[in-house]
Amino acid sequence: MAAPKKTMRALQYDKYGGGAEGLKHVEVPVPSPKKGEVLLKLEAASINPIDWKIQKGMVRPFLPRKFPFIPVGDMSGEAVELGSGVTNLKPGDKVISISFPNGGGLGEYAVAPASLTVARPPEVSAAEGASLPTAASTALQQLKAAGVSSFDGSGDSNGPRNVLVTAASGGVGHYAVQLAKLAGLHVTATCGARNLGFVRGLGADEVLDYKTPDGARLRSPSGRRYDAVMHCATGTPWSVFAPVLAGEATVVDVTPGIAAAAKSFLQKVTFAKQRLVPLVLMPKKEEMEWLADMTRQGKLKTVVDSRYPLSRAQEAWAKSMEGHANGKIVVEMGGEE
């Protein structure tokens, strides 16, 4: 089944900076899948902070690899054409995929690595599927990095018991709260005042407004010390974490800066029992399949903050950059104009 069109609508940027206004609507050729790739007719894509951080130049000169660039790596859609050597998919399959760092998600079609493309169960919507690859995988890898090995509710006698999730109403945080509860952990979470009820609804046992004195200090209302922190916020120094951690504890930071990397290295060489672990997502097919299955079973819920058609993708980009979304921001290719 070949792509029915030779050209497609997409949004791209041609230089660093510019924010939402730097994204331009274009008509470009439909890409062709190379060896090990699959061409997808996209149904939905979800925007993550890394997408606009790349545009800002935060990983220049490495990314993007070339201009102009069609951003966004998390996508769901239908396989329409297979590159050579792809045997795990067939045209017509409904799938979820991550194409990072090559992007392509803000278009009607995109190529993605078959090795990171998984079946989307019929019970999982395109918007839910597109939301999983980066945010849910990051939350899962955070918990694993903190020593969590089981998500069947039984808890693990060797793993953490009390966890803190910061920025718990955001894309990664809202998955981290749910996965921590699936692991049988006691969850304290921070968020803004308007989202306290939302985060409680995700299953958090205790919720802190991060702007209150106790919230700013990350103090558990019940006086618990944390065995692990799923740190999804930015700009929290180690001096804030140290007083609220258990004797042996792990802070897994998904937005590490230079100071965090330096602190982590120092703790390693001194064999510290309280550790800061910078996490860089390494997508794994088996984890994506597991997350899709947990979604199918209704055990993991994706909260979609807002949906935009491709024609209004700049608004979705701006919304992500504002940083106040509850859950995920999704662009739907067949969405209402």
Side-chain angles (χ1 to χ4, degrees):
M1 184 193 298
K5 302 202 300 182
K6 287 195 166 49
T7 63
M8 66 174 189
R9 294 182 303 141
L11 282 91
Q12 66 185 27
Y13 57 86
D14 55 15
K15 61 180 183 295
Y16 290 115
E21 292 178 3
L23 291 173
K24 304 300 181 190
H25 287 273
V26 291
E27 187 90 13
V28 295
V30 171
S32 297
K34 300 185 179 72
K35 182 178 180 180
E37 293 180 336
V38 56
L39 176 66
L40 305 180
K41 184 178 191 296
L42 297 185
E43 297 173 63
S46 75
I47 297 172
N48 294 289
I50 187 62
D51 295 316
W52 47 263
K53 287 178 181 179
I54 290 171
Q55 184 199 32
K56 275 188 167 184
M58 292 174 76
V59 278
R60 71 198 298 177
F62 306 105
L63 298 176
R65 288 172 177 166
K66 62 179 181 178
F67 291 115
F69 180 66
I70 300 172
V72 178
D74 287 9
M75 54 187 79
S76 64
E78 182 179 323
V80 292
E81 189 179 339
L82 309 180
S84 63
V86 177
T87 57
N88 61 319
L89 298 165
K90 63 183 186 301
D93 284 352
K94 297 284 190 178
V95 296
I96 298 164
S97 191
I98 181 169
S99 176
F100 184 84
N102 295 334
L106 291 189
E108 293 178 293
Y109 293 83
V111 291
S115 61
L116 289 172
T117 298
V118 303
R120 173 168 67 83
E123 299 88 348
V124 178
S125 71
E128 289 171 329
S131 297
L132 294 172
T134 292
S137 294
T138 297
L140 180 59
Q141 291 187 13
Q142 266 188 308
L143 284 155
K144 288 181 175 180
V148 177
S149 58
S150 171
F151 294 88
D152 61 5
S154 62
D156 182 345
S157 57
N158 297 317
R161 301 283 179 85
N162 298 308
V163 302
L164 170 69
V165 179
T166 62
S169 59
V172 176
H174 95 288
Y175 287 126
V177 170
Q178 295 178 74
L179 290 169
K181 290 310 298 178
L182 286 171
L185 308 181
H186 182 279
V187 177
T188 304
T190 69
C191 61
R194 69 185 179 91
N195 295 323
L196 295 172
F198 169 71
V199 173
R200 280 194 193 95
L202 296 171
D205 299 286
E206 302 176 327
V207 188
L208 292 166
D209 173 359
Y210 72 92
K211 288 187 176 175
T212 63
D214 277 350
R217 294 188 185 97
L218 307 178
R219 285 184 177 169
S220 160
S222 59
R224 283 173 165 81
R225 288 182 176 263
Y226 310 116
D227 309 304
V229 179
M230 308 299 108
H231 187 37
C232 307
T234 54
T236 307
W238 180 257
S239 58
V240 174
F241 291 120
V244 294
L245 298 178
E248 290 191 31
T250 305
V251 178
V252 188
D253 189 353
V254 299
T255 58
I258 301 296
K263 177 59 105 176
S264 175
F265 175 75
L266 185 63
Q267 290 169 341
K268 270 185 184 169
V269 298
T270 58
F271 301 100
K273 291 188 174 180
Q274 294 179 332
R275 299 183 309 128
L276 179 67
V277 178
L279 181 78
V280 177
L281 174 67
M282 299 294 288
K284 295 180 181 176
K285 185 176 184 178
E286 61 271 21
E287 290 183 345
M288 289 170 58
E289 289 172 335
W290 184 82
L291 290 162
D293 188 58
M294 295 303 277
T295 304
R296 178 191 67 78
Q297 294 180 49
K299 293 180 179 178
L300 183 67
K301 291 183 166 51
T302 292
V303 176
V304 176
D305 174 274
S306 44
R307 303 165 187 256
Y308 300 84
L310 187 60
S311 61
R312 293 172 51 212
Q314 291 109 321
E315 293 174 51
W317 196 264
K319 174 88 174 178
S320 180
M321 292 186 75
E322 286 168 12
H324 299 297
N326 283 359
K328 296 293 297 173
I329 297 166
V330 174
V331 175
E332 296 179 310
M333 308 319 155
E336 293 297 319
E337 300 296 314

